[in-house]
């Protein structure tokens, strides 16, 4: 059997992925206190890479990993050339437009929108025929809406608690998201037996 290399997004999604894999009988022994970025399953069948969520699909597309686990929001945003094999039903969240009011503010020319989802935001507002100026941020997107750096924000929410605590309201939902198992296009054929076996385990 060939070893499969799987890129995992560090953080909550990685925890959910490891729990899912363990529940499906995949022997993962991961030490959360370890700073190692690569670890293997105890039977050596799988090798795992710990990367940033935004980089999972890049590793898979570039042949750094055979498979990866990434949110559909990240896949839509980054438009990587990979196969989307299965919705794993974990990492559920939504990409939403939010602001101080539950309605879009009245602006004479264009809306200032703060987000890290530049492509999703651009396409969404283009379809609505609304002129926007995108302010690209890498974290604490809510803050831009709170202090008025932007008229509204586009960000991911799971429970919506962070928005509420910062006095923000959901104006509109753009997409629902969950984590998908994705595959490198070449690996899908050269390691098809191993990938098929994993898909059967995860069903």
């Amino acid at each position: 059997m060939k070893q499969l290399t799987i890129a995992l997004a560090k953080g909550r999604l990685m925890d959910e992925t490891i729990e899912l894999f363990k529940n499906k009988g995949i022997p993962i022994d991961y030490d959360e206190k370890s700073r190692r970025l690569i670890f293997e399953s105890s039977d050596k069948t799988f090798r795992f890479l710990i990367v940033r969520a935004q980089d999972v699909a890049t590793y898979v597309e570039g042949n750094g990993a055979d498979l990866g686990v990434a949110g559909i929001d990240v896949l839509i945003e980054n438009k990587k050339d990979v196969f989307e094999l299965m919705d794993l039903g974990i990492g559920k969240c939504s990409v939403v437009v939010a602001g101080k009011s539950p309605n879009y503010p009245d602006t004479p020319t264009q809306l200032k929108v703060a987000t890290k989802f530049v492509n999703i935001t651009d396409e969404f507002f283009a379809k609505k025929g609304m002129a926007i100026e995108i302010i690209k941020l890498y974290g604490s997107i809510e803050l831009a809406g709170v202090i008025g750096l932007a008229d509204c924000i586009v960000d991911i929410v799971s429970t919506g608690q962070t928005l509420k605590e910062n006095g923000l309201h959901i104006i509109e939902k753009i997409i629902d998201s969950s984590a998908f198992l994705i595959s490198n296009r070449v690996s899908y054929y050269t390691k098809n037996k191993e990938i098929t076996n994993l898909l059967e385990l995860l069903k």
Side-chain angles (χ1 to χ4, degrees), residues 12 18 94 110 132 138 174 184:
R12 185 170 63 88
I18 288 175
S94 300
Q110 59 181 196
I132 61 167
Y138 295 92
I174 299 178
N184 172 272

Side-chain angles (χ1 to χ4, degrees), residues 6 10 13 26 37 50-51 65 67 75 92 98 101 104 117 120 124 135 140 149-150 156 169 173 178 181 183 198 200:
I6 305 177
K10 62 173 71 175
L13 181 54
I26 297 167
L37 299 176
I50 304 173
V51 303
L67 301 169
L75 298 175
K92 291 185 177 179
S101 161
Y104 287 108
F117 296 104
I120 288 174
F124 176 73
I135 301 169
S140 301
L149 177 68
I156 54 171
H169 303 268
K173 181 163 70 174
S178 57
L181 183 69
S183 172
L198 176 60
E200 286 299 320

Side-chain angles (χ1 to χ4, degrees), residues 63-149:
N63 209 30
D66 302 304
L67 301 169
V69 177
I72 199 70
D73 54 310
V74 176
L75 298 175
I76 292 171
E77 175 66 24
N78 295 323
K79 303 183 188 306
K80 297 295 182 182
D81 189 20
V82 296
F83 289 138
E84 294 169 12
L85 301 182
M86 177 188 283
D87 184 349
L88 297 175
I90 58 174
K92 291 185 177 179
C93 60
S94 300
V95 179
V96 303
V97 185
K100 287 184 176 179
S101 161
N103 301 301
Y104 287 108
D106 294 322
T107 49
T109 50
Q110 59 181 196
L111 211 59
K112 285 186 178 180
V113 185
T115 187
K116 63 182 177 184
F117 296 104
V118 173
N119 293 324
I120 288 174
T121 301
D122 194 43
E123 289 175 14
F124 176 73
F125 282 102
K127 284 178 183 174
K128 291 176 74 70
M130 293 174 69
I132 61 167
E133 175 192 340
I134 293 178
I135 301 169
K136 183 168 185 180
L137 297 175
Y138 295 92
S140 301
I141 311 295
E142 296 90 356
L143 187 59
V146 173
I147 68 168
L149 177 68

Side-chain angles (χ1 to χ4, degrees), residues 15-25 88 90 202:
D15 295 338
E16 288 187 45
T17 304
I18 288 175
E19 184 180 353
L20 172 67
F21 279 29
K22 282 182 176 179
N23 290 339
K24 297 296 184 178
L88 297 175
I90 58 174
L202 294 174

Side-chain angles (χ1 to χ4, degrees), residues 180-196:
F180 272 66
L181 183 69
I182 61 173
S183 172
N184 172 272
R185 286 180 173 268
V186 174
S187 296
Y188 184 75
Y189 297 105
T190 58
K191 297 185 178 181
N192 187 263
K193 182 180 177 182
E194 290 78 10
I195 291 173
T196 301

Side-chain angles (χ1 to χ4, degrees), residues 34-52:
S34 171
R35 291 184 175 271
R36 287 186 303 141
L37 299 176
I38 302 175
F39 66 99
E40 293 182 322
S41 58
S42 54
D43 63 359
K44 308 295 184 186
T45 306
F46 302 99
R47 182 174 68 146
F48 298 95
L49 312 180
I50 304 173
V51 303
R52 284 185 60 192

